[in-house]
Amino acid sequence: MDYPPLRDYGIIGNDDRCALVSRFGSVDWCCFPHLESESVFAAILDADRGGHFAIEPNTEYDSTQRYVDRTNVLETVFETGRGRATVTDFMPIYAQNEPGDDRFQQSIYRRLECGEGSVDLTVSFDPRFDYARAETILESRSTGIRARRDGDDRRQDDDPDENDPTDEQLFLTGDCEFSIDRSRSFVEGTVSLSAGDRQWVCLQYGGREPLSTVDYESVLEGTTRYWRDWLGGRDGERSSIPERWREIVVRSELLLKLLIHHDTGAIPAAATTSIPEAIGSDRTWDYRFNWIRDAKFSVQALHDTGHRREAREYFDWFVDIARRGPEEIVPLYGLHGETGSGIDEQTLDHLSGYRGTRPVRIGNAAATQKQLDVYGTIVQAIYETVQFGSETGVGESWDAVCDIVDYVCDHWDERDAGIWEFRDEHRHFLHSKLLCWVALDRGIALARDNGLEAPTDRWHENRLAVREAIEERGYSESASSFVQHFDTDQAIDATVLLIPIYEFLPPEDERVQSTIDAVIERLTTDDGLVVRFVDTDVREDEREAFLLCSFWLVDALVLSNRLERAREYFECVLEYANPLGLYSEKVDPGTGQLLGNFPQAFSHLGLINSVTYLARALEANGGVEPNDFRPSNVEALFRRESGSDAGRSN
């Protein structure tokens, strides 16, 4: 079995889980019962051992993928010499499920339909529990196939009345006959379709028996309706957004909603683990966690697109984190708020990795790092939520904000691992200092604008100290640019683009403009792809572009009223999405190959935020100022009701 490129994958999912489906009809990544649980299909990480659930023609074919309009329902279209068939894949998210029965949504539904001619399809079902660390037992049942994990007596049928939905079992049912290949421990079935024929193959996780009362067509209709209702028909309201960008924004919205954890509101960085940043590199990380640094960009994107409920739930999630005390805050959390042993990093040496790239990791050791930027991210997100006119206000979280800002006063001048989570080097990273300044600056603004008590004299003093340190030690005259960390003259990092975005300096400042020019000259390809850093002694230079950095460059150029180049770069970067409009973390500028975990929330957050910047600038016909991009001014781009008019004075 080969490894399809990431551009050949789509994603389906619902409130709490996702699956990657290749253009060749194979579910190559899926974890049950949750996105962060152990995998049951992991062929994307080991084509031979990982396990898959495939439906494809039994003869040569061409295939394409598309989403049903304005949904996360995926269609894979197969063209053979004899006919055309479509496999429609989705995870159900529908109100008419049995109350309290999680099995309804812990399912993959696959509709097989012949549009013309005739097509024979082969079903291949090869589940491998616990990242293929456990043996799988396959059994024929009157209802289809049961697959269960071996080695746990609790999972035997000792009690026929027991119906534990957490059992590690899978049920395969459908309109065709399945047979178990005992020699190779997997299941096969054949479906022969003629024009107009329609059949179903369905997979359910958990319980002792598959649900027996499911009307698949009704569930598909309900799932389609859910996604469209969630979008709320707001596409027509985005009058300020050029029509050619609206579809990619909608796809980004749907991807973010698909990733959002319905119980907690947390948003994982991506749906996968260990897809390498470069083929052959050991930079293979588990991204199925919520990084605190995503908070500012997530709140901004959710509010900008009018999804206030999701923004509020996410706000509640990270405010709850903030209330634990600044000394307890870590860079990333499990989707249920786990820390410590709940996300300890392990390597799975039995898996070969995507395209042979090891190690395969689960868990993430970055959770134990010191990253000073998280404090500014939290305060900025709270500040923006208040600016968006949230009914919550800052009062109920003010004590936590004060504790965080006070903590920054005591620790801003320490070294840390930085935004890129360097494991072997702690430095005075400029981005970390910038976010410490943000924590102090927004803390002062929140106290002033809301009449709240705080030790603002101390905050002012430290804000000035951080500013002086950044301006004196973070700018290189020889490089004509702000630099990656203090005490370097040449190391350039794309995070310097955030200086005008966070309003540390005005865009017209000569140092800001020369910094943007340095990024374009030294980090950026001709079509706007930006690598993270160059000429640093912290780690070797990377040749792969980090997509979020490309969107930061667009935003910085818009703020600088360099609109023509911003739009040119943005249009070019859009071309690197896969055919379904999905982005990974990185891209190889030479080949266009998508790299890193997929789909990547950060990339789609950056895209939405760049559309905000560009749409506002186009609406104003140039001449924009940073104030134009504050929450109270941008939300009207995406929905009719405007946000709060409150703004922060400099």
Side-chain angles (χ1 to χ4, degrees), residues 79 104 112 153 234 250 289 313 325 386 409 476 513 574 632:
E79 299 272 359
F104 178 81
L112 290 56
D153 292 338
R234 288 186 307 281
V250 167
F289 304 100
E313 290 172 351
V386 173
C409 288
S476 167
Q513 289 305 302
L574 290 186
S632 56

Side-chain angles (χ1 to χ4, degrees), residues 398 402 405-406 409 412 440-441 443-445 447-448 452-466:
W398 184 238
C402 288
V405 180
D406 282 336
C409 288
W412 70 263
L440 293 156
D441 183 73
I444 292 168
R448 181 190 63 233
L452 298 167
E453 293 187 5
T456 52
D457 288 346
R458 182 181 188 228
W459 294 359
H460 275 282
E461 179 182 342
N462 278 273
R463 182 179 66 170
L464 178 60
V466 178

Side-chain angles (χ1 to χ4, degrees), residues 121 132 195 336 340 395 593 609 638:
L121 297 166
H336 294 85
Q593 181 183 21
N609 294 334
F638 292 87

Side-chain angles (χ1 to χ4, degrees), residues 73-144:
V73 177
L74 181 67
E75 294 181 337
T76 304
V77 181
F78 296 106
E79 299 272 359
T80 74
R82 297 176 54 202
R84 183 182 73 251
T86 300
V87 177
T88 301
D89 288 319
F90 65 98
M91 287 186 171
I93 181 166
Y94 189 43
Q96 294 181 5
N97 56 307
E98 299 177 26
D101 195 334
D102 290 337
R103 293 177 298 164
F104 178 81
Q105 292 199 149
Q106 293 171 1
S107 304
I108 297 174
Y109 292 173
R110 315 194 74 178
R111 187 178 73 180
L112 290 56
E113 189 172 19
C114 185
E116 63 180 50
S118 62
V119 179
D120 293 335
L121 297 166
T122 298
V123 180
S124 175
F125 177 63
D126 184 18
R128 306 290 179 92
F129 292 96
D130 191 19
Y131 305 107
R133 289 184 292 193
E135 292 294 323
T136 300
I137 304 297
L138 297 171
E139 303 170 353
S140 294
R141 308 286 289 269
S142 61
T143 53

Side-chain angles (χ1 to χ4, degrees), residues 430-431 434 467-477 479-486 488-497 499-500 504-506 509-516 518-519 522-523:
L430 185 139
H431 176 264
L434 174 64
R467 171 176 289 280
E468 290 175 346
I470 291 174
E471 294 191 8
E472 292 175 7
R473 301 178 63 190
Y475 185 81
S476 167
E477 294 290 348
S480 297
S481 176
F482 284 96
V483 289
Q484 182 183 58
H485 57 83
F486 292 173
T488 181
D489 288 327
Q490 295 300 321
I492 305 296
D493 192 301
T495 55
V496 297
L497 295 166
I499 288 173
F504 178 81
L505 288 173
D509 188 287
E510 291 184 2
R511 292 166 296 178
V512 171
Q513 289 305 302
S514 64
T515 294
I516 293 173
V519 169
R522 298 175 58 187
L523 298 180

